[in-house]
């Protein structure tokens, strides 16, 4: 059966958009919902943070399990499983009686997640290698666009239909995503018996450059730490910069979103450039641009300056996302592509757990500006690791030689 990988990519893009939107859509009003569920006022921020972290943590823990199953049963099946599972867990949040059950369902939300990494693994396995950077860069914009538009849609729906009904709407959207994936995504995959499948250890032995792969995992981890470390302190930092800005929530939302806009614009373009000049070069350039943008954030004097730097930082994220996924797809044997991507997803989720913790801990000890300094140091370490992994022009030329 001949697969139209471009059609699959566009359907998967819609699925990634819905998935990204469903995660971010509930963020603006989670603290209010937790308050409505009867949480003590002095614990609302704690439970709000925990409800976010527990989803990323459970997703990180279970991601390799689903990756193993995807290599046995196919990526499409895992995309359907993730979309259907999240439709149930998201929709059920409308009916939880208290904060404990909200945290339980948020935990299972992470357990059953995995649409985006499985969609990425499927397109990575189907797209021609010379177009993989463009394909994966384009696919990445789906989740970015969803996460960008999600908070504004969520805020609007919460005001018009009520918070509980937002969860039902989100569950319905994910149900539509499930149906689209069932009927329109095509995959020519022959299920493999467990006894005939390569073990994860054997898959890693077949990886062309294991040290490079581990370096890419670390890059994904640090990328997420850098993106999310600012989350706990952003509004407070902007308030300090603006001297008590009246429309603080609007300004904070704008500064968060502006990085996503530049990421959305640049991901497919930089992915296509990476296909031509080498994704490892784009990766290194993205890391260098990232530290150039992040460090000066510790010295800005106004919200506008912070927003400009965040906008340019989005271009670095746009360089890093498709480059990491494309390099992983080129390093990975076809028999284990889902498992390798699931491990990268695990590092990504751990970064999402660690980022807010790093940001709040550093801010409490050394002040808001120190968060950006600490993140810059992490990125510099990552640059050194990347230079070591891709050392010498010979390594750049021969990395993917057959």
């Amino acid at each position: 059966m001949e697969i139209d990988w471009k059609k699959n990519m566009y359907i998967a893009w819609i699925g990634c958009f819905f998935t990204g939107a469903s995660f971010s859509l509930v963020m603006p009003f989670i603290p209010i919902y937790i308050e409505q569920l009867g949480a003590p006022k002095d614990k609302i921020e704690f439970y709000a943070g925990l409800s976010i972290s527990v989803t990323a943590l459970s997703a990180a823990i279970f991601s390799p399990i689903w990756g193993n199953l995807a290599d046995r049963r196919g990526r499409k099946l895992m995309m359907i499983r993730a979309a259907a599972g999240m439709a149930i867990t998201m929709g059920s949040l409308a009916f939880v009686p208290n904060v404990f059950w909200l945290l339980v369902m948020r935990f299972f939300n992470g357990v059953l997640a995995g649409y985006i990494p499985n969609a990425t693994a499927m397109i990575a396995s189907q797209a021609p290698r010379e177009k993989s950077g463009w394909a994966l860069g384009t696919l990445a914009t789906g989740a970015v666009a969803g996460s960008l538009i999600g908070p504004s849609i969520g805020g609007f729906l919460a005001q018009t239909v009520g918070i509980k009904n937002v969860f039902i709407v989100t569950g319905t959207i994910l149900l539509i995503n499930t149906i689209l994936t069932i009927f329109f995504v095509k995959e020519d995959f022959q299920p493999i018996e467990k006894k005939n499948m390569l073990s994860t250890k054997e898959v890693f032995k077949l990886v062309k450059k294991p040290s490079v792969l581990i370096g890419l995992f670390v890059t994904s981890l640090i990328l997420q730490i850098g993106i999310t470390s600012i989350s706990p302190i952003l509004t407070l930092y902007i308030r300090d910069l603006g001297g008590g800005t009246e429309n603080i929530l609007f300004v904070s939302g704008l500064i968060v979103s502006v990085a996503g806009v530049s990421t959305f614009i640049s991901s497919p373009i930089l992915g296509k450039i990476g296909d031509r000049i080498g994704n490892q070069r784009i990766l290194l350039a993205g890391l260098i641009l990232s530290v150039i943008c992040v460090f000066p954030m510790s010295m800005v004097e106004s919200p506008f300056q912070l927003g400009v730097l965040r906008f340019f930082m989005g271009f670095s994220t746009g360089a890093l996302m498709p480059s990491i996924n494309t390099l992983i797809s080129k390093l990975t044997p076809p028999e284990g592509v889902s498992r390798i991507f699931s491990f990268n997803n695990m590092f990504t989720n751990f970064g999402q757990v660690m980022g807010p913790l790093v940001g709040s801990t550093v801010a409490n000890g050394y002040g808001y500006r120190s968060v950006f300094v600490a993140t810059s140091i992490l990125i510099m370490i990552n640059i050194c690791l990347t230079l070591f992994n891709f050392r010498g022009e010979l390594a750049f030329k021969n990395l993917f030689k057959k």
Side-chain angles (χ1 to χ4, degrees), residues 20 104 248 256 336 397:
V104 169
I248 187 78
V256 170
K397 287 179 178 177

Side-chain angles (χ1 to χ4, degrees), residues 108-173:
F108 280 108
N109 198 0
V111 170
L112 297 171
Y115 188 96
I116 294 171
N118 278 291
T120 303
M122 185 183 71
I123 299 305
S125 67
Q126 292 179 348
R129 289 212 162 187
E130 66 275 10
K131 295 184 178 179
S132 59
W134 171 79
L136 295 174
T138 302
L139 185 65
T141 64
V144 171
S147 62
L148 270 178
I149 201 170
S152 56
I153 294 175
F156 172 75
L157 288 174
Q159 287 184 341
T160 53
V161 303
I163 291 176
K164 285 181 179 289
N165 289 326
V166 174
F167 296 116
I168 296 173
V169 170
T170 305
T172 304
I173 290 171

Side-chain angles (χ1 to χ4, degrees), residues 198-373:
L198 291 175
S199 68
T200 302
K201 185 178 180 180
E202 289 171 325
V203 169
F204 272 95
K205 283 183 178 178
L206 291 175
V207 171
K208 294 176 182 177
K209 295 279 185 177
S211 63
V212 172
L213 183 65
I214 299 300
L216 292 170
F217 290 164
V218 173
T219 299
S220 294
L221 176 76
I222 295 177
L223 174 62
Q224 290 303 315
I225 291 174
I227 291 171
T228 59
S229 62
I230 189 177
S231 302
I233 58 109
L234 180 62
T235 303
L236 299 173
Y237 188 45
I238 292 169
R239 186 179 66 188
D240 281 3
L241 290 173
T245 310
E246 291 179 7
N247 53 346
I248 187 78
L249 293 177
F250 172 76
V251 174
S252 298
L254 195 63
I255 289 176
V256 170
S257 299
V258 76
V261 171
S262 49
T263 300
F264 179 80
I265 293 169
S266 62
S267 278
I269 298 169
L270 292 171
K272 186 177 285 188
I273 293 172
D275 287 335
R276 193 166 65 248
I277 69 169
N279 302 102
Q280 59 273 28
R281 289 187 172 92
I282 299 295
L283 172 63
L284 186 59
L287 287 170
I288 293 170
L289 177 60
S290 183
V291 78
I292 288 172
C293 293
V294 171
F295 185 74
M297 290 180 192
S298 65
M299 299 178 283
V300 295
E301 298 297 333
S302 69
F304 175 76
Q305 291 174 351
L306 180 64
V308 170
L309 288 171
R310 289 274 298 173
F311 177 76
F312 284 107
M313 193 187 83
F315 287 104
S316 75
T317 307
L320 293 168
M321 291 168 66
S323 297
I324 291 168
N325 288 331
T326 305
L327 287 166
I328 288 174
S329 71
K330 290 178 178 179
L331 288 165
T332 304
E335 304 91 336
V337 64
S338 291
R339 273 174 285 180
I340 297 299
F341 271 103
S342 73
F343 276 100
N344 188 59
N345 189 51
M346 181 179 72
F347 276 81
T348 298
N349 283 305
F350 276 134
Q352 291 170 356
V353 174
M354 292 170 63
L357 295 176
V358 169
S360 57
T361 301
V362 173
N364 285 334
Y366 303 98
Y368 300 142
R369 295 181 183 272
S370 60
V371 174
F372 304 102
V373 177

